[in-house]
Amino acid sequence: FPSCFSGGWWVFDLGKNRGLRCDYYAVRHDGTNNFPRNWELQGRVDCEGEDAADAPSGGITDQSEESVRWISLSKHVNDNAIHEPGAWGSWSVPTDLSTPPVRWLRLVSTGANAGTEGQGRFHLCSVEFYGLLTGG
């Protein structure tokens, strides 16, 4: 897998003029035997003039100008919290007062999953984000 992106990703847009200072999140696995093990939670601040049509893509490389706008919120390496089909996992997100509220949240697969099929995919069926919501 490339160090910057392995193929599977999810992007969530909270909407124009909204931001979340995420301090906790939970995901539910989709029920297959391909459990996520390596991923990163990232956030992106709302940029002036952008709307849903300008939503940032999930599959960008570290070398692109676009990737500079993403903030790493939480990294997982060989995380085996999700080990059964349909299981929930939850994690705190280390934040401080300098962490800005973000409009977009992105989960990016950064390495191999458990299971032989579905490599390069991020198998989830539900995601919940918690924290301080700002704006409209």
Side-chain angles (χ1 to χ4, degrees), residues 73-118:
L73 301 174
S74 180
K75 292 183 181 183
H76 301 266
V77 177
N78 295 322
D79 188 319
N80 63 358
I82 297 176
H83 56 275
E84 295 178 0
W88 280 92
S90 58
W91 301 268
S92 62
V93 176
T95 59
D96 58 38
L97 294 177
S98 67
T99 304
V102 296
R103 172 180 171 176
W104 286 284
L105 291 151
R106 176 171 76 171
L107 292 165
V108 181
S109 177
T110 57
N113 296 321
T116 56
E117 296 180 24

